[in-house]
Amino acid sequence: MEQPAPRMHIPIDSITYEQWKELRAPYIGASDVGALLAWFESWPASDAPWGSALRIYHRIGGSLDYDEEEFLLDQYAPAECGREFEDGIGRMYAKRFPEMEVEGKSPTWQHPTIDWLVATPDLLVVHPERGPGVAQFKLATSNGRKKWANGLPLYVEAQVQLEMEVMGREWAHVFAVVDATTKCFYVERSADYFQRIVEAGEHFRAALQAGDVAAFVDGSDDVTRTLKETEPEELKDGETLL
C-alpha cells in the first residue's frame, strides 16, 4: 500500500527563523530523534548527540526557548555556522553530483499518519536511477570532527531516517564538510529503524504527559546545561550532575 503524502506544516519562505522556531517547538523533529534514541536505548557516550531528551522535554513544555542556548554559549557556534553556511554547502554538493535534479529547499513537513513527528530536509533531490531522495548537509568543525571519525554519526543517521519516512523517500545523502574535506554518505530507508523512533517517541510522550522529569536525567553534559537553565538553584557553578 502506497504511503499517504506528507502534509506541509510550516513554510520556510514566508516566515522568519524565529517564527519557525516557535511553530516547530511543540513537535518531535528529525533533529530531535537522535537524542530520544540515545536516551531510550542508552547509546555509548562516544555516540551521544549534542542535545538531550531533557532539553526536548523542557522545550515542548514551554520552559525553554527552542535552541536559545546556541546564541548564548560559544560551544554552540558550530550549529549557527552550519545553518548560515547551508546554502554554500548545498552548492558544493551540487557540483559533486551534477546528475542530481535539485527540487529545492524544503518546508517543514508533518508525517502523514503520526502528527507529532515532523521533518525539514535540507534539500529534496531526484537521482536519475534511485528516484526521489533527501539531502542533509552538515558542517563539522574541530569541535565536532571526532564524532565523524568512524563514519556517519548515529544521531545523523536517525535524523535522515525520519526525514525519509516523513517524505516517503527511499534514500538519502548526508553531505558533510569536515575540517575542509567533504564526505558523502548514502543511507537507505529502514522500516525497522523508524519503528525504533516511534517507540522512543511514544515512551517520551508518555513521560512528558506524566510530568516525569526525573526520567530524562541521565548525567550527560546537555542535561547538566539544561538543569542550570531550568533549575539553577539545584547546581552551583562548575558542578556537574552525576
Side-chain angles (χ1 to χ4, degrees):
M1 182 176 179
E2 186 175 347
Q3 176 177 314
R7 292 170 284 180
M8 188 173 73
H9 186 55
I10 307 172
I12 57 174
D13 295 333
S14 58
I15 60 175
T16 66
Y17 178 64
E18 294 299 321
Q19 290 171 327
W20 177 86
K21 288 194 298 180
E22 184 178 352
L23 293 170
R24 159 70 172 79
Y27 298 89
I28 295 174
S31 60
D32 297 327
V33 292
L36 293 191
L37 283 172
W39 161 73
F40 184 63
E41 301 179 343
S42 299
W43 286 359
S46 58
D47 296 317
W50 297 111
S52 66
L54 179 64
R55 181 165 296 277
I56 299 167
Y57 172 92
H58 281 293
R59 188 198 75 218
I60 293 177
S63 51
L64 274 180
D65 289 337
Y66 189 91
D67 285 345
E68 176 186 12
E69 78 284 2
E70 73 182 43
F71 300 106
L72 303 178
L73 301 176
D74 287 344
Q75 61 261 42
Y76 283 87
E80 185 180 5
C81 288
R83 192 169 56 250
E84 295 296 334
F85 299 157
E86 183 179 300
D87 289 345
I89 297 174
R91 289 190 291 271
M92 294 171 68
Y93 171 78
K95 288 179 182 178
R96 286 157 177 77
F97 296 93
E99 74 277 14
M100 207 74 68
E101 176 187 343
V102 176
E103 294 183 332
K105 296 183 70 172
S106 172
T108 296
W109 296 90
Q110 195 170 32
H111 191 276
T113 59
I114 305 176
D115 59 7
W116 44 269
L117 285 174
V118 299
T120 313
D122 285 340
L123 209 63
L124 300 177
V125 296
V126 180
H127 187 275
E129 297 177 357
R130 296 175 186 154
V134 301
Q136 182 65 39
F137 304 139
K138 296 295 182 183
L139 174 66
T141 62
S142 57
N143 189 41
R145 65 184 175 189
K146 288 187 289 187
K147 289 185 176 292
W148 296 81
N150 297 318
L152 183 66
L154 294 182
Y155 67 93
V156 180
E157 181 182 5
Q159 179 178 1
V160 297
Q161 283 291 345
L162 182 54
E163 290 176 349
M164 287 187 286
E165 190 67 33
V166 168
M167 301 307 300
R169 301 191 171 204
E170 299 301 321
W171 67 275
H173 266 165
V174 178
F175 184 76
V177 179
V178 182
D179 274 355
T181 63
T182 61
K183 301 175 182 287
C184 191
F185 301 89
Y186 172 70
V187 184
E188 292 186 345
R189 182 178 171 186
S190 167
D192 290 340
Y193 203 118
F194 179 62
Q195 184 58 38
R196 290 167 54 198
I197 292 173
V198 172
E199 290 175 2
E202 289 177 340
H203 193 72
F204 169 84
R205 281 163 49 82
L208 175 69
Q209 186 173 11
D212 186 9
V213 182
F216 303 108
V217 178
D218 58 12
S220 66
D221 290 343
D222 190 72
V223 164
T224 299
R225 286 192 292 267
T226 302
L227 286 173
K228 284 184 177 180
E229 293 177 50
T230 58
E231 302 178 54
E233 69 280 359
E234 297 296 327
L235 292 176
K236 299 177 182 179
D237 288 344
E239 186 178 13
T240 299
L241 182 74
L242 299 178

